[in-house]
Amino acid sequence: LKLADLYIKERQFGKAQDQYNKALEISNNAEIREQLNDLQLTMLRNELSEALDRARKNPGKERLVEKAKALKEDLLAKEIEFFTYSAELHPNDMKKKYDLAQRLMSNKEPSKAIPLLQQAVSDPRIKVEALVMLGECFAKDGKLDLARRQFEKALDGLSGTDKPDPFKSAHYYLGRIYDKNKKRDQAEHHYGEILAVDYEYKDCLLYTYP
């Protein structure tokens, strides 16, 4: 394990992986498995970064674009697999549940993310971010009233300067929900809150009324 750490510091990830595998042969320890998983994700992310760079430099080469796309899909699948393992290994670590929920959302599986986020909101460090993502999950799952409640709870602890991304996301979703329900005054209020801090955010200007 010490040798693996040294190889990681020298960015010799393949050699570090070999050492983790040897350690697992000696002791099938869950935490060693988790360290190996983290290393493999690092290796995949580096490979994806290099593939994206090659694709950008050679936009006409479809093979490079497809390779980058395949690596991105592979990375997301591995993240879900490894983050699931880590969340089960550390059931009281709400950040791990939140990170897994993020990946499930990226994989268009909001119903699987919902129970993880319902637990993650108990951690005050990530509460508002988890509430916003929970609202997004409910919205994508067609439960708009439940979504609205999560966004409104989140806004109690959000400001446009402190956490601009979840702030704008919560107001935008609320605007769209109220728009869908023909409540234009409420919708315009939420779009206005966004425009006050980001005048070019998405299509908010299209949803303001004279």
Side-chain angles (χ1 to χ4, degrees), residues 176-191:
R176 298 308 298 269
I177 289 168
Y178 281 119
D179 238 334
K180 191 176 180 67
N181 291 324
K182 309 296 183 187
K183 296 181 177 179
R184 291 190 165 185
D185 288 344
Q186 292 98 317
E188 188 171 13
H189 163 74
H190 290 291
Y191 296 135

Side-chain angles (χ1 to χ4, degrees), residues 40-70:
Q40 289 176 335
L41 288 179
T42 297
M43 293 168 72
L44 260 177
R45 287 169 185 147
N46 288 342
E47 191 178 353
L48 173 59
S49 179
E50 290 168 4
L52 288 169
D53 190 49
R54 286 193 296 270
R56 276 193 297 269
K57 290 176 180 176
N58 302 277
K61 293 189 177 179
E62 189 64 27
R63 179 180 58 83
L64 295 178
V65 174
E66 288 300 317
K67 174 75 182 297
K69 182 181 176 182

Side-chain angles (χ1 to χ4, degrees), residues 160 167-168 171-172 174-176 179 184-201 203-209:
F167 174 85
K168 288 183 283 190
H171 276 296
Y172 185 77
L174 283 168
R176 298 308 298 269
D179 238 334
R184 291 190 165 185
D185 288 344
Q186 292 98 317
E188 188 171 13
H189 163 74
H190 290 291
Y191 296 135
E193 289 293 314
I194 297 170
L195 293 172
V197 296
D198 186 347
Y199 199 65
E200 297 182 336
Y201 187 77
D203 53 359
C204 285
L205 281 170
L206 297 176
Y207 290 96
T208 54
Y209 309 100

Side-chain angles (χ1 to χ4, degrees), residues 64-125:
L64 295 178
V65 174
E66 288 300 317
K67 174 75 182 297
K69 182 181 176 182
L71 281 171
K72 190 173 182 180
E73 291 172 357
D74 189 30
L75 174 59
L76 180 58
K78 285 294 182 187
E79 283 182 330
I80 290 172
E81 178 189 343
F82 292 165
F83 285 15
T84 298
Y85 179 84
S86 189
E88 290 172 354
L89 190 62
H90 306 280
N92 296 320
D93 190 329
M94 296 300 115
K95 180 64 167 61
K96 292 186 183 296
K97 294 180 188 292
Y98 176 80
D99 290 340
L100 174 56
Q102 277 188 312
R103 271 59 182 192
L104 290 168
M105 278 287 285
S106 296
N107 204 41
K108 299 179 181 178
E109 297 182 277
S111 60
K112 291 184 179 179
I114 287 170
L116 294 165
L117 292 167
Q118 287 174 325
Q119 296 173 68
V121 297
S122 65
D123 187 334
R125 296 169 298 175

